[in-house]
Amino acid sequence: MKFARNAALATTALAALTLAACNPPEKAPDAADTKTDVTVITPPAATPAPTGTVVTTAQANPDFTTLVSALQAGGLVDTLNGAGPFTIFAPNNAAFEKVPAATRDALMQPAGKADLTKILTYHVVPGRIDSAALAQQIQAGGGSASLTTVQGGKLTARANPDGSISLTDAKGGTSKVVQADVPATNGVIHAIDTVAMP
C-alpha cells in the first residue's frame, strides 16, 4: 500500500515535470523585442535664400506696389539697391490706403519729393535686424527698443501680447508688423499695416 502511494506520488511529480517542460515560463522581453513609439520631429522649413535686394524683393511682392511707386518717386531705388544692409519697415498697400488720397497724391508729385523722401527714410533702419534680434532688443530694453532711422528720427518697438511687434512713431501713431523677416540680399523687410510719420 505504501509502495502504491509512493508510486502515485512519483507519477504525479513526473506528470508535473513533463507539463512544465512542454510549457516553459514566459521569458522577459529583451531589448530587441521591446518596441517604443518614436516621435519624428520634422525640421522647420528652411527660409528661402534671398534672390534680390530689398527693392527688387518689394517689387516682386503684390502687397508693396504703392511702396515701390513711392520709392521711385522719392528717388530712393538706387540707394536701397546698394550694399546696405537695411531693415525696412515697409508699409503695405493697405497701410498707404489709410493716408488721405489728397496727401498721397501731393507726396507723389515732384513738389512733394522732399517730404516723401523724409517719410520713406523714416521706415529704414541701418543694419539687418530680423524679428528675433528685434525681440532681444525689446527684452533688453525692458519692454521697448528705440530704433534710429536713416531719416534721423526714432521708432519705438514693443512686443504685443499676441507675440507680434508694434512700432510707435514720433507723432504717437502706431503700426503693427503683419509679416516679418522677408529676406533680401542686402537686408530684411518687415511689412507694417500703417505708414509711420516722422
Side-chain angles (χ1 to χ4, degrees), residues 39-120:
T39 302
V40 177
I41 298 173
T42 305
T47 303
T51 57
T53 66
V54 289
V55 174
T56 57
T57 299
Q59 287 172 332
N61 189 322
D63 286 335
F64 294 136
T65 55
T66 306
L67 173 64
V68 170
S69 295
L71 291 173
Q72 291 166 344
L76 294 173
V77 171
D78 288 343
T79 301
L80 295 177
N81 272 331
F86 306 106
T87 298
I88 301 192
F89 293 98
N92 59 20
N93 292 341
F96 280 103
E97 287 296 320
K98 294 178 183 179
V99 178
T103 303
R104 286 196 321 262
D105 291 343
L107 288 170
M108 297 295 278
Q109 299 303 317
K113 182 176 179 179
D115 289 334
L116 179 62
T117 301
K118 184 177 178 182
I119 291 169
L120 293 173

Side-chain angles (χ1 to χ4, degrees), residues 160 162 164-167 174-179 191-194:
N160 298 315
D162 65 0
S164 63
I165 292 173
S166 288
L167 301 174
T174 59
S175 56
K176 184 177 179 180
V177 175
V178 292
Q179 182 182 6
I192 58 175
D193 65 356
T194 305

Side-chain angles (χ1 to χ4, degrees), residues 24-43:
E26 289 187 24
K27 66 173 186 165
D30 59 24
D33 293 336
T34 305
K35 292 185 180 178
T36 54
D37 291 333
V38 177
T39 302
V40 177
I41 298 173
T42 305

